Amino acid sequence: MGYKTKFFGQILAALVAILIGKVRIITLGTIIPSHLCLADWFSYLLTLVVIVGVTNAINLSDGLDGLAGGICLLTFCCIAYLAYVAKMFTIVLLAASMIGVIFGFLRFNTYPASIFMGDTGSQLLGFSGIILALKLTQESLELSPVLPLILFGFPILDTLSVMLQRIAEGRSPFTADKNHLHHKLIRLGFFHTEAVVIIYIIQFLLVLSSIFFRNSSDWGLLIGYASFCVIALAFFYYTEKLDYKVKRYDLIDNVFKGKLRVLKERGILIRVCFQTVEWGTPLLVLFSVFLPDSIPKDFSLISVPFLVFLVISALFKREWFGASVRLTVYFLIPYILYLGEVNTAGWMPREWMKVYNVGFGVLAFFVIFTLKFTRRTKGFKLSPMDFLILFIVLAVSSLPDQRIQSYHLGMLASKIIVFFFTCEVLIGELRGELNRLGVATLIATSAITLRGLF
């Protein structure tokens, strides 16, 4: 479809939200004098322009694999949390459903992508995001009406800058080109995944600022966003003017290159790293099962079908064993880690607990190096989506909510992520021969069942 047809459809959709959904910008906070109110005609027009503008901004930002989806994932996470704080649970539910949708999609959309959302998908994300953001900030007295500008700050900046550049060059603002900010990052010398991760980091910082400064002065937020725009545009302007390219320093490779090459060619590095992961993971699994002071009976009952599935696949259907191990780990391990965090056994000395926690860091270290030195070409590989998960974990663990802090979510989420990544890497490296991990999972599931029932 041409841009005129798209605009027509977007305007119709925006009018449905405005006239039927009652989504309107009725206040700009302290940006305008308190005795002045937005006229109805201006309120409707401004809301229409904002909804259509942000819908297209997300659409235009979809220039690299996983970019628009990742930006919107972080945005919906922020909207869900702000709505939770404001007790607007309908918005929480809608934002949470969009988070689930995007996570499922990004699994196959991160570089190198195997599926793509197209214009319809990106417009859906932009439209849904701005509708929820406006509904949230306009109806909550505690939140600044400037927050939607911060939440969609990067796509808005990207769209306005590229359109103004086209107009300045005497071209139509709707013509396609490669002057978007993500294209400029690639021209600076960054790889595809690096450009995506950099934009994720920028969006992550904007989302965090929306959370921590949600009650700040409207003018303060506006000036802060304007400063961000000036710094970003000045950076890209001068790097292009000076034809600057990112220098890649290979200091570590130059210093250790010879020794590392010999170790890698002999397979010594991969053997050491992999054997540490292969032995360390089952030991951590077994130790985690006995760490909680008690196992709830209902949780043990839930573990019974997993135990039966493991035994049947181990004895009669070996081709199912890998799937059964993965399924069991993904369902049971998070709750076991949670119980160990909030209901630690009395016999566990504090020094042992420190060693146990350090063990996860050591395991993560060797998992990363296993991925680095493996010669396997298929199976699990790191992607920008993994960085998104880490960003979200960092954000959740630092949220100013006493209920979140009391559950030590940062440490808990870190342990769960290490376990999940480790199991994925281990299953890929073992190529179906899940001897130690399979036995450890069987023993752990049996222990969960017996501890809770008896």
Side-chain angles (χ1 to χ4, degrees), residues 280-313:
T281 305
L283 289 174
L284 274 179
V285 169
L286 293 173
F287 193 83
S288 299
V289 170
F290 294 98
L291 187 58
D293 189 55
S294 61
I295 303 288
K297 185 176 181 179
D298 52 355
F299 182 59
S300 293
L301 291 173
I302 291 172
S303 68
V304 171
F306 290 97
L307 179 60
V308 172
F309 187 30
L310 281 168
V311 172
I312 292 175
S313 59

PDB file of all heavy atoms in Angstrom, residues 280-313:
ATOM      1  N   GLY A 280      29.442 -29.093  36.502  1.00  0.00           N
ATOM      2  CA  GLY A 280      28.952 -28.077  37.426  1.00  0.00           C
ATOM      3  C   GLY A 280      27.440 -27.935  37.427  1.00  0.00           C
ATOM      4  O   GLY A 280      26.823 -27.735  38.492  1.00  0.00           O
ATOM      5  N   THR A 281      26.807 -28.054  36.251  1.00  0.00           N
ATOM      6  CA  THR A 281      25.353 -27.885  36.165  1.00  0.00           C
ATOM      7  C   THR A 281      24.594 -28.940  36.960  1.00  0.00           C
ATOM      8  O   THR A 281      23.721 -28.594  37.764  1.00  0.00           O
ATOM      9  CB  THR A 281      24.909 -27.895  34.690  1.00  0.00           C
ATOM     10  OG1 THR A 281      25.639 -26.904  33.961  1.00  0.00           O
ATOM     11  CG2 THR A 281      23.418 -27.612  34.573  1.00  0.00           C
ATOM     12  N   PRO A 282      24.872 -30.254  36.782  1.00  0.00           N
ATOM     13  CA  PRO A 282      24.169 -31.251  37.598  1.00  0.00           C
ATOM     14  C   PRO A 282      24.382 -31.067  39.090  1.00  0.00           C
ATOM     15  O   PRO A 282      23.449 -31.264  39.881  1.00  0.00           O
ATOM     16  CB  PRO A 282      24.770 -32.584  37.115  1.00  0.00           C
ATOM     17  CG  PRO A 282      25.275 -32.311  35.746  1.00  0.00           C
ATOM     18  CD  PRO A 282      25.763 -30.898  35.793  1.00  0.00           C
ATOM     19  N   LEU A 283      25.606 -30.686  39.492  1.00  0.00           N
ATOM     20  CA  LEU A 283      25.870 -30.487  40.921  1.00  0.00           C
ATOM     21  C   LEU A 283      25.035 -29.341  41.486  1.00  0.00           C
ATOM     22  O   LEU A 283      24.470 -29.440  42.590  1.00  0.00           O
ATOM     23  CB  LEU A 283      27.358 -30.208  41.143  1.00  0.00           C
ATOM     24  CG  LEU A 283      28.306 -31.401  40.924  1.00  0.00           C
ATOM     25  CD1 LEU A 283      29.761 -30.957  41.036  1.00  0.00           C
ATOM     26  CD2 LEU A 283      28.015 -32.504  41.945  1.00  0.00           C
ATOM     27  N   LEU A 284      24.925 -28.231  40.724  1.00  0.00           N
ATOM     28  CA  LEU A 284      24.106 -27.109  41.181  1.00  0.00           C
ATOM     29  C   LEU A 284      22.631 -27.483  41.232  1.00  0.00           C
ATOM     30  O   LEU A 284      21.897 -27.059  42.132  1.00  0.00           O
ATOM     31  CB  LEU A 284      24.311 -25.904  40.262  1.00  0.00           C
ATOM     32  CG  LEU A 284      25.486 -24.984  40.584  1.00  0.00           C
ATOM     33  CD1 LEU A 284      25.568 -23.866  39.575  1.00  0.00           C
ATOM     34  CD2 LEU A 284      25.359 -24.401  41.984  1.00  0.00           C
ATOM     35  N   VAL A 285      22.173 -28.283  40.248  1.00  0.00           N
ATOM     36  CA  VAL A 285      20.779 -28.728  40.240  1.00  0.00           C
ATOM     37  C   VAL A 285      20.476 -29.535  41.494  1.00  0.00           C
ATOM     38  O   VAL A 285      19.479 -29.296  42.190  1.00  0.00           O
ATOM     39  CB  VAL A 285      20.481 -29.553  38.969  1.00  0.00           C
ATOM     40  CG1 VAL A 285      19.124 -30.249  39.087  1.00  0.00           C
ATOM     41  CG2 VAL A 285      20.501 -28.666  37.730  1.00  0.00           C
ATOM     42  N   LEU A 286      21.329 -30.508  41.800  1.00  0.00           N
ATOM     43  CA  LEU A 286      21.099 -31.372  42.963  1.00  0.00           C
ATOM     44  C   LEU A 286      21.183 -30.588  44.271  1.00  0.00           C
ATOM     45  O   LEU A 286      20.382 -30.787  45.193  1.00  0.00           O
ATOM     46  CB  LEU A 286      22.121 -32.512  42.965  1.00  0.00           C
ATOM     47  CG  LEU A 286      21.983 -33.516  41.809  1.00  0.00           C
ATOM     48  CD1 LEU A 286      23.142 -34.502  41.822  1.00  0.00           C
ATOM     49  CD2 LEU A 286      20.661 -34.262  41.912  1.00  0.00           C
ATOM     50  N   PHE A 287      22.147 -29.683  44.364  1.00  0.00           N
ATOM     51  CA  PHE A 287      22.289 -28.893  45.582  1.00  0.00           C
ATOM     52  C   PHE A 287      21.078 -27.986  45.787  1.00  0.00           C
ATOM     53  O   PHE A 287      20.607 -27.809  46.920  1.00  0.00           O
ATOM     54  CB  PHE A 287      23.567 -28.060  45.513  1.00  0.00           C
ATOM     55  CG  PHE A 287      23.963 -27.462  46.837  1.00  0.00           C
ATOM     56  CD1 PHE A 287      24.668 -28.205  47.761  1.00  0.00           C
ATOM     57  CD2 PHE A 287      23.619 -26.163  47.152  1.00  0.00           C
ATOM     58  CE1 PHE A 287      25.030 -27.662  48.986  1.00  0.00           C
ATOM     59  CE2 PHE A 287      23.964 -25.613  48.369  1.00  0.00           C
ATOM     60  CZ  PHE A 287      24.684 -26.365  49.292  1.00  0.00           C
ATOM     61  N   SER A 288      20.550 -27.430  44.684  1.00  0.00           N
ATOM     62  CA  SER A 288      19.407 -26.513  44.767  1.00  0.00           C
ATOM     63  C   SER A 288      18.160 -27.213  45.288  1.00  0.00           C
ATOM     64  O   SER A 288      17.329 -26.595  45.961  1.00  0.00           O
ATOM     65  CB  SER A 288      19.118 -25.905  43.385  1.00  0.00           C
ATOM     66  OG  SER A 288      20.226 -25.167  42.911  1.00  0.00           O
ATOM     67  N   VAL A 289      18.014 -28.501  44.974  1.00  0.00           N
ATOM     68  CA  VAL A 289      16.831 -29.247  45.404  1.00  0.00           C
ATOM     69  C   VAL A 289      16.792 -29.405  46.921  1.00  0.00           C
ATOM     70  O   VAL A 289      15.709 -29.411  47.531  1.00  0.00           O
ATOM     71  CB  VAL A 289      16.796 -30.630  44.706  1.00  0.00           C
ATOM     72  CG1 VAL A 289      15.723 -31.519  45.320  1.00  0.00           C
ATOM     73  CG2 VAL A 289      16.544 -30.455  43.224  1.00  0.00           C
ATOM     74  N   PHE A 290      17.958 -29.523  47.556  1.00  0.00           N
ATOM     75  CA  PHE A 290      18.013 -29.736  49.004  1.00  0.00           C
ATOM     76  C   PHE A 290      18.226 -28.440  49.777  1.00  0.00           C
ATOM     77  O   PHE A 290      18.316 -28.458  51.004  1.00  0.00           O
ATOM     78  CB  PHE A 290      19.126 -30.731  49.340  1.00  0.00           C
ATOM     79  CG  PHE A 290      18.857 -32.109  48.819  1.00  0.00           C
ATOM     80  CD1 PHE A 290      19.425 -32.534  47.621  1.00  0.00           C
ATOM     81  CD2 PHE A 290      17.998 -32.970  49.492  1.00  0.00           C
ATOM     82  CE1 PHE A 290      19.159 -33.806  47.123  1.00  0.00           C
ATOM     83  CE2 PHE A 290      17.733 -34.236  49.006  1.00  0.00           C
ATOM     84  CZ  PHE A 290      18.313 -34.658  47.811  1.00  0.00           C
ATOM     85  N   LEU A 291      18.281 -27.313  49.055  1.00  0.00           N
ATOM     86  CA  LEU A 291      18.496 -26.026  49.714  1.00  0.00           C
ATOM     87  C   LEU A 291      17.250 -25.513  50.441  1.00  0.00           C
ATOM     88  O   LEU A 291      17.366 -24.972  51.547  1.00  0.00           O
ATOM     89  CB  LEU A 291      18.973 -24.993  48.690  1.00  0.00           C
ATOM     90  CG  LEU A 291      19.398 -23.637  49.233  1.00  0.00           C
ATOM     91  CD1 LEU A 291      20.528 -23.790  50.243  1.00  0.00           C
ATOM     92  CD2 LEU A 291      19.837 -22.725  48.083  1.00  0.00           C
ATOM     93  N   PRO A 292      16.011 -25.647  49.887  1.00  0.00           N
ATOM     94  CA  PRO A 292      14.827 -25.174  50.622  1.00  0.00           C
ATOM     95  C   PRO A 292      14.610 -25.972  51.904  1.00  0.00           C
ATOM     96  O   PRO A 292      14.885 -27.174  51.965  1.00  0.00           O
ATOM     97  CB  PRO A 292      13.675 -25.403  49.636  1.00  0.00           C
ATOM     98  CG  PRO A 292      14.319 -25.521  48.298  1.00  0.00           C
ATOM     99  CD  PRO A 292      15.658 -26.132  48.541  1.00  0.00           C
ATOM    100  N   ASP A 293      14.090 -25.296  52.926  1.00  0.00           N
ATOM    101  CA  ASP A 293      13.814 -25.956  54.190  1.00  0.00           C
ATOM    102  C   ASP A 293      12.710 -26.995  54.051  1.00  0.00           C
ATOM    103  O   ASP A 293      12.729 -28.026  54.724  1.00  0.00           O
ATOM    104  CB  ASP A 293      13.420 -24.908  55.237  1.00  0.00           C
ATOM    105  CG  ASP A 293      13.322 -25.490  56.628  1.00  0.00           C
ATOM    106  OD1 ASP A 293      14.311 -26.091  57.084  1.00  0.00           O
ATOM    107  OD2 ASP A 293      12.243 -25.362  57.241  1.00  0.00           O
ATOM    108  N   SER A 294      11.744 -26.732  53.164  1.00  0.00           N
ATOM    109  CA  SER A 294      10.657 -27.689  52.917  1.00  0.00           C
ATOM    110  C   SER A 294      10.120 -27.489  51.508  1.00  0.00           C
ATOM    111  O   SER A 294      10.302 -26.422  50.909  1.00  0.00           O
ATOM    112  CB  SER A 294       9.524 -27.505  53.934  1.00  0.00           C
ATOM    113  OG  SER A 294       8.983 -26.196  53.839  1.00  0.00           O
ATOM    114  N   ILE A 295       9.478 -28.533  50.978  1.00  0.00           N
ATOM    115  CA  ILE A 295       8.866 -28.491  49.648  1.00  0.00           C
ATOM    116  C   ILE A 295       7.349 -28.595  49.823  1.00  0.00           C
ATOM    117  O   ILE A 295       6.870 -29.548  50.445  1.00  0.00           O
ATOM    118  CB  ILE A 295       9.360 -29.645  48.753  1.00  0.00           C
ATOM    119  CG1 ILE A 295      10.889 -29.617  48.620  1.00  0.00           C
ATOM    120  CG2 ILE A 295       8.699 -29.601  47.387  1.00  0.00           C
ATOM    121  CD1 ILE A 295      11.418 -28.501  47.774  1.00  0.00           C
ATOM    122  N   PRO A 296       6.561 -27.650  49.296  1.00  0.00           N
ATOM    123  CA  PRO A 296       5.104 -27.746  49.409  1.00  0.00           C
ATOM    124  C   PRO A 296       4.578 -29.014  48.746  1.00  0.00           C
ATOM    125  O   PRO A 296       5.082 -29.441  47.698  1.00  0.00           O
ATOM    126  CB  PRO A 296       4.605 -26.489  48.679  1.00  0.00           C
ATOM    127  CG  PRO A 296       5.760 -25.546  48.714  1.00  0.00           C
ATOM    128  CD  PRO A 296       6.983 -26.396  48.651  1.00  0.00           C
ATOM    129  N   LYS A 297       3.553 -29.602  49.339  1.00  0.00           N
ATOM    130  CA  LYS A 297       3.005 -30.860  48.849  1.00  0.00           C
ATOM    131  C   LYS A 297       2.425 -30.712  47.448  1.00  0.00           C
ATOM    132  O   LYS A 297       2.597 -31.591  46.594  1.00  0.00           O
ATOM    133  CB  LYS A 297       1.940 -31.376  49.812  1.00  0.00           C
ATOM    134  CG  LYS A 297       1.396 -32.754  49.446  1.00  0.00           C
ATOM    135  CD  LYS A 297       0.427 -33.258  50.491  1.00  0.00           C
ATOM    136  CE  LYS A 297      -0.089 -34.655  50.126  1.00  0.00           C
ATOM    137  NZ  LYS A 297      -1.033 -35.177  51.154  1.00  0.00           N
ATOM    138  N   ASP A 298       1.729 -29.573  47.195  1.00  0.00           N
ATOM    139  CA  ASP A 298       1.117 -29.403  45.870  1.00  0.00           C
ATOM    140  C   ASP A 298       2.180 -29.296  44.779  1.00  0.00           C
ATOM    141  O   ASP A 298       1.992 -29.767  43.654  1.00  0.00           O
ATOM    142  CB  ASP A 298       0.194 -28.188  45.849  1.00  0.00           C
ATOM    143  CG  ASP A 298       0.885 -26.930  46.353  1.00  0.00           C
ATOM    144  OD1 ASP A 298       2.031 -27.032  46.804  1.00  0.00           O
ATOM    145  OD2 ASP A 298       0.264 -25.851  46.296  1.00  0.00           O
ATOM    146  N   PHE A 299       3.332 -28.697  45.115  1.00  0.00           N
ATOM    147  CA  PHE A 299       4.417 -28.620  44.131  1.00  0.00           C
ATOM    148  C   PHE A 299       4.983 -30.011  43.836  1.00  0.00           C
ATOM    149  O   PHE A 299       5.324 -30.327  42.690  1.00  0.00           O
ATOM    150  CB  PHE A 299       5.520 -27.695  44.644  1.00  0.00           C
ATOM    151  CG  PHE A 299       6.660 -27.516  43.680  1.00  0.00           C
ATOM    152  CD1 PHE A 299       6.453 -27.012  42.411  1.00  0.00           C
ATOM    153  CD2 PHE A 299       7.949 -27.865  44.048  1.00  0.00           C
ATOM    154  CE1 PHE A 299       7.507 -26.850  41.526  1.00  0.00           C
ATOM    155  CE2 PHE A 299       9.009 -27.709  43.177  1.00  0.00           C
ATOM    156  CZ  PHE A 299       8.774 -27.198  41.908  1.00  0.00           C
ATOM    157  N   SER A 300       5.069 -30.853  44.860  1.00  0.00           N
ATOM    158  CA  SER A 300       5.522 -32.229  44.647  1.00  0.00           C
ATOM    159  C   SER A 300       4.550 -33.007  43.763  1.00  0.00           C
ATOM    160  O   SER A 300       4.972 -33.812  42.929  1.00  0.00           O
ATOM    161  CB  SER A 300       5.683 -32.932  45.997  1.00  0.00           C
ATOM    162  OG  SER A 300       6.737 -32.362  46.723  1.00  0.00           O
ATOM    163  N   LEU A 301       3.270 -32.778  43.952  1.00  0.00           N
ATOM    164  CA  LEU A 301       2.265 -33.446  43.098  1.00  0.00           C
ATOM    165  C   LEU A 301       2.411 -33.007  41.649  1.00  0.00           C
ATOM    166  O   LEU A 301       2.258 -33.812  40.728  1.00  0.00           O
ATOM    167  CB  LEU A 301       0.855 -33.136  43.616  1.00  0.00           C
ATOM    168  CG  LEU A 301       0.493 -33.771  44.971  1.00  0.00           C
ATOM    169  CD1 LEU A 301      -0.853 -33.246  45.449  1.00  0.00           C
ATOM    170  CD2 LEU A 301       0.470 -35.294  44.859  1.00  0.00           C
ATOM    171  N   ILE A 302       2.721 -31.723  41.454  1.00  0.00           N
ATOM    172  CA  ILE A 302       2.932 -31.224  40.090  1.00  0.00           C
ATOM    173  C   ILE A 302       4.150 -31.889  39.451  1.00  0.00           C
ATOM    174  O   ILE A 302       4.186 -32.127  38.240  1.00  0.00           O
ATOM    175  CB  ILE A 302       3.098 -29.686  40.112  1.00  0.00           C
ATOM    176  CG1 ILE A 302       1.768 -29.020  40.493  1.00  0.00           C
ATOM    177  CG2 ILE A 302       3.580 -29.164  38.761  1.00  0.00           C
ATOM    178  CD1 ILE A 302       1.878 -27.529  40.721  1.00  0.00           C
ATOM    179  N   SER A 303       5.165 -32.204  40.268  1.00  0.00           N
ATOM    180  CA  SER A 303       6.398 -32.791  39.730  1.00  0.00           C
ATOM    181  C   SER A 303       6.227 -34.249  39.327  1.00  0.00           C
ATOM    182  O   SER A 303       7.065 -34.789  38.586  1.00  0.00           O
ATOM    183  CB  SER A 303       7.523 -32.672  40.761  1.00  0.00           C
ATOM    184  OG  SER A 303       7.274 -33.492  41.885  1.00  0.00           O
ATOM    185  N   VAL A 304       5.166 -34.917  39.816  1.00  0.00           N
ATOM    186  CA  VAL A 304       4.976 -36.346  39.518  1.00  0.00           C
ATOM    187  C   VAL A 304       4.883 -36.623  38.022  1.00  0.00           C
ATOM    188  O   VAL A 304       5.588 -37.513  37.502  1.00  0.00           O
ATOM    189  CB  VAL A 304       3.744 -36.902  40.271  1.00  0.00           C
ATOM    190  CG1 VAL A 304       3.413 -38.317  39.798  1.00  0.00           C
ATOM    191  CG2 VAL A 304       4.002 -36.898  41.771  1.00  0.00           C
ATOM    192  N   PRO A 305       4.018 -35.921  37.254  1.00  0.00           N
ATOM    193  CA  PRO A 305       3.960 -36.214  35.809  1.00  0.00           C
ATOM    194  C   PRO A 305       5.282 -35.962  35.087  1.00  0.00           C
ATOM    195  O   PRO A 305       5.612 -36.667  34.129  1.00  0.00           O
ATOM    196  CB  PRO A 305       2.855 -35.290  35.296  1.00  0.00           C
ATOM    197  CG  PRO A 305       2.626 -34.282  36.356  1.00  0.00           C
ATOM    198  CD  PRO A 305       2.982 -34.938  37.632  1.00  0.00           C
ATOM    199  N   PHE A 306       6.045 -34.985  35.555  1.00  0.00           N
ATOM    200  CA  PHE A 306       7.368 -34.745  34.959  1.00  0.00           C
ATOM    201  C   PHE A 306       8.287 -35.934  35.219  1.00  0.00           C
ATOM    202  O   PHE A 306       9.044 -36.355  34.329  1.00  0.00           O
ATOM    203  CB  PHE A 306       7.984 -33.462  35.520  1.00  0.00           C
ATOM    204  CG  PHE A 306       7.308 -32.205  35.079  1.00  0.00           C
ATOM    205  CD1 PHE A 306       6.354 -31.599  35.879  1.00  0.00           C
ATOM    206  CD2 PHE A 306       7.604 -31.627  33.861  1.00  0.00           C
ATOM    207  CE1 PHE A 306       5.726 -30.431  35.475  1.00  0.00           C
ATOM    208  CE2 PHE A 306       6.988 -30.467  33.438  1.00  0.00           C
ATOM    209  CZ  PHE A 306       6.041 -29.864  34.254  1.00  0.00           C
ATOM    210  N   LEU A 307       8.232 -36.478  36.443  1.00  0.00           N
ATOM    211  CA  LEU A 307       9.048 -37.643  36.783  1.00  0.00           C
ATOM    212  C   LEU A 307       8.648 -38.840  35.930  1.00  0.00           C
ATOM    213  O   LEU A 307       9.520 -39.570  35.417  1.00  0.00           O
ATOM    214  CB  LEU A 307       8.895 -37.965  38.273  1.00  0.00           C
ATOM    215  CG  LEU A 307       9.676 -39.172  38.788  1.00  0.00           C
ATOM    216  CD1 LEU A 307      11.168 -38.985  38.566  1.00  0.00           C
ATOM    217  CD2 LEU A 307       9.382 -39.401  40.276  1.00  0.00           C
ATOM    218  N   VAL A 308       7.346 -39.050  35.760  1.00  0.00           N
ATOM    219  CA  VAL A 308       6.868 -40.169  34.937  1.00  0.00           C
ATOM    220  C   VAL A 308       7.330 -40.003  33.491  1.00  0.00           C
ATOM    221  O   VAL A 308       7.792 -40.963  32.849  1.00  0.00           O
ATOM    222  CB  VAL A 308       5.323 -40.251  35.009  1.00  0.00           C
ATOM    223  CG1 VAL A 308       4.797 -41.285  34.017  1.00  0.00           C
ATOM    224  CG2 VAL A 308       4.874 -40.597  36.427  1.00  0.00           C
ATOM    225  N   PHE A 309       7.236 -38.787  32.972  1.00  0.00           N
ATOM    226  CA  PHE A 309       7.656 -38.509  31.597  1.00  0.00           C
ATOM    227  C   PHE A 309       9.155 -38.774  31.431  1.00  0.00           C
ATOM    228  O   PHE A 309       9.598 -39.359  30.424  1.00  0.00           O
ATOM    229  CB  PHE A 309       7.315 -37.061  31.251  1.00  0.00           C
ATOM    230  CG  PHE A 309       7.545 -36.697  29.808  1.00  0.00           C
ATOM    231  CD1 PHE A 309       7.423 -37.640  28.788  1.00  0.00           C
ATOM    232  CD2 PHE A 309       7.881 -35.404  29.461  1.00  0.00           C
ATOM    233  CE1 PHE A 309       7.631 -37.303  27.463  1.00  0.00           C
ATOM    234  CE2 PHE A 309       8.103 -35.055  28.139  1.00  0.00           C
ATOM    235  CZ  PHE A 309       7.983 -36.010  27.140  1.00  0.00           C
ATOM    236  N   LEU A 310       9.953 -38.368  32.424  1.00  0.00           N
ATOM    237  CA  LEU A 310      11.396 -38.598  32.369  1.00  0.00           C
ATOM    238  C   LEU A 310      11.713 -40.093  32.359  1.00  0.00           C
ATOM    239  O   LEU A 310      12.546 -40.556  31.563  1.00  0.00           O
ATOM    240  CB  LEU A 310      12.076 -37.936  33.571  1.00  0.00           C
ATOM    241  CG  LEU A 310      12.303 -36.427  33.512  1.00  0.00           C
ATOM    242  CD1 LEU A 310      12.720 -35.900  34.879  1.00  0.00           C
ATOM    243  CD2 LEU A 310      13.360 -36.068  32.475  1.00  0.00           C
ATOM    244  N   VAL A 311      11.059 -40.856  33.225  1.00  0.00           N
ATOM    245  CA  VAL A 311      11.337 -42.292  33.325  1.00  0.00           C
ATOM    246  C   VAL A 311      10.934 -43.007  32.033  1.00  0.00           C
ATOM    247  O   VAL A 311      11.692 -43.837  31.494  1.00  0.00           O
ATOM    248  CB  VAL A 311      10.590 -42.896  34.534  1.00  0.00           C
ATOM    249  CG1 VAL A 311      10.712 -44.424  34.527  1.00  0.00           C
ATOM    250  CG2 VAL A 311      11.147 -42.327  35.832  1.00  0.00           C
ATOM    251  N   ILE A 312       9.746 -42.701  31.512  1.00  0.00           N
ATOM    252  CA  ILE A 312       9.276 -43.359  30.281  1.00  0.00           C
ATOM    253  C   ILE A 312      10.198 -43.042  29.112  1.00  0.00           C
ATOM    254  O   ILE A 312      10.585 -43.940  28.343  1.00  0.00           O
ATOM    255  CB  ILE A 312       7.830 -42.927  29.968  1.00  0.00           C
ATOM    256  CG1 ILE A 312       6.865 -43.499  31.021  1.00  0.00           C
ATOM    257  CG2 ILE A 312       7.423 -43.386  28.572  1.00  0.00           C
ATOM    258  CD1 ILE A 312       5.441 -43.015  30.857  1.00  0.00           C
ATOM    259  N   SER A 313      10.574 -41.766  28.981  1.00  0.00           N
ATOM    260  CA  SER A 313      11.450 -41.392  27.855  1.00  0.00           C
ATOM    261  C   SER A 313      12.841 -41.996  28.008  1.00  0.00           C
ATOM    262  O   SER A 313      13.473 -42.372  27.019  1.00  0.00           O
ATOM    263  CB  SER A 313      11.541 -39.859  27.747  1.00  0.00           C
ATOM    264  OG  SER A 313      12.049 -39.297  28.936  1.00  0.00           O
TER     265      SER A 313
END
